[in-house]
Amino acid sequence: MLYLICYDITNNSLRANFARKIIACGLDRINKSVYLGLIKETPLNNLEAELSRLLKLRGQPQDSLIILPLLARQVQDMRIYGRNDLDKDELSGEKSTLIL
């Protein structure tokens, strides 16, 4: 399933730790603290548990984490303004590659 994960973390090292863990799960960074991609349920559950644990242990009261499931159609309908090299088909899982 497609997920959008975003966070607002004040601590630089904790924020970098979040980024590494999310990228390691295969999501793409689409903005500074916003990630989008396909992830299966078990890896998502593991990632969510780890990020929420870190947030409780090292986060500040104003810090937040949002995990939002999306449909491929919602990604295709996304409006982008300014410079951004996103491939909506790739991010939504709609891009197919045929190898002959």
Side-chain angles (χ1 to χ4, degrees), residues 9-74:
I9 305 289
T10 54
N11 179 285
N12 290 339
S13 66
L14 180 58
R15 191 171 52 249
N17 198 354
F18 268 49
R20 279 190 301 275
K21 290 181 182 306
I22 294 168
I23 290 169
C25 286
L27 279 80
D28 293 302
R29 178 178 257 157
I30 63 169
N31 224 320
K32 292 190 186 233
S33 296
V34 182
Y35 303 80
L36 177 65
L38 294 167
I39 185 170
K40 294 185 187 259
E41 186 176 349
T42 299
L44 174 69
N45 290 340
N46 293 339
L47 176 64
E48 185 173 355
E50 179 64 14
L51 295 179
S52 63
R53 184 186 70 78
L54 286 170
L55 192 60
K56 287 176 189 169
L57 288 174
R58 298 179 47 205
Q60 299 298 313
Q62 68 272 25
D63 292 347
S64 65
L65 168 66
I66 298 169
I67 300 174
L68 180 69
L70 295 174
L71 300 173
R73 177 69 189 184
Q74 292 170 304

